[in-house]
Amino acid sequence: MDRESELFQCGHRACGGCGPALAAKLILKGTGPNTIVVASTGCMEVFSTPYPETAWGVPWIHSLFENAAAVASGIESSLKKQGRDEHVVCICGDGATFDIGVLCISGAFERGHDITYICYDNEAYMNTGIQRSGATPYDANTTTSPAGKCSTGNKRPKKDMPAILAAHGASYVATASMAYPNDLIRKVQRAVNTPGPNYIQVHAPCCTGWGFDGSQTMKIGRLAVETGLWVNFEMIDGEVEHVRKVANRKPVEEYLEVQKRFRHLFRPKKNEEEIAKIQAIADHNAGAFAVDRN
């Protein structure tokens, strides 16, 4: 590895096979060095910056859980006043994005700040004990949506943040997966070079919170796309374009049964009814985004 060419360095303290860590490396390949990163509290902040160490090869600032977009707005305004041209990029988890920080994100996008907001979506609050967030998928077991005799896990659907931010008038909104590196890098390059507020949501499997071996992170990421439970697309001025097509879409069971957070759907006996509901979610995604390649 040429360490000098990497903007997100190895030697950080993430779990082996951490999806968000790989996402950070790929995101910075897309932004390039002329970048200031604003990070909320979250897994990435904890494992990448244990004082006095840092994995970041670009200027990086930590805010609170809720206000990364507000801090980025201030930085962008100051740079504009000084005639500087650095990219201002928020990199925040789904808890800070979907739940706690949504007010400040809405304000930044409504005011039209020239920032790129990137959510690494590992579908729960992982660094504080695997509590559910607005990004947690249906029937996932978390510590605040535990599966048991009276419950099959999280009963709420995943919040549609891309649609919410497209409704704010964002010129560029995209979803991506760290399991498709070149696609993620290209989308980040496009976002930071598109004027105004832009949003990318990156699927980033968490081996600890989801319950799988760290050697399987890329496989899990690809299975999400191959089953239709995650769709990679771009939205330009509110119109969906460039959807990643899937040939011979796989049944959702192949994605669910390899993760401990869905194990209750298969033990002590297979829960056909609940698995059918999740398959219906994937089928709806496939229809809404025309995912299937005929």
Side-chain angles (χ1 to χ4, degrees), residues 135-156:
T136 300
Y138 182 79
D139 266 354
N141 177 56
T142 73
T143 54
T144 52
S145 60
K149 292 182 179 178
C150 300
S151 172
T152 54
N154 177 51
K155 304 315 297 180
R156 298 296 303 162

Side-chain angles (χ1 to χ4, degrees), residues 109-110 112 162-173 195-198 236-238:
F109 276 61
E110 182 275 328
I164 291 170
L165 293 175
H168 281 68
S171 297
Y172 185 75
V173 172
N198 301 293
I236 314 299
D237 295 325

Side-chain angles (χ1 to χ4, degrees), residues 19 22-23 26-27 119 121 174-185 187-188 200-205 210 217-226 230-233 244 255:
L22 178 55
L26 298 172
I27 289 168
C119 171
D121 183 5
T175 57
S177 167
M178 54 88 243
Y180 297 86
N182 291 334
D183 180 66
L184 172 54
I185 293 170
K187 287 172 177 172
V188 173
I200 300 177
Q201 189 168 312
V202 183
H203 193 243
W210 298 11
T217 303
M218 297 297 278
K219 177 183 178 181
I220 296 289
R222 286 194 293 271
L223 276 172
V225 174
E226 291 166 353
W230 181 270
V231 180
N232 281 344
F233 65 86
R244 184 177 192 86
Y255 176 68

Side-chain angles (χ1 to χ4, degrees), residues 236-250:
I236 314 299
D237 295 325
E239 299 295 327
V240 174
E241 300 180 8
H242 307 124
V243 177
R244 184 177 192 86
K245 300 289 187 180
V246 177
N248 302 316
R249 186 160 47 90
K250 297 178 178 177

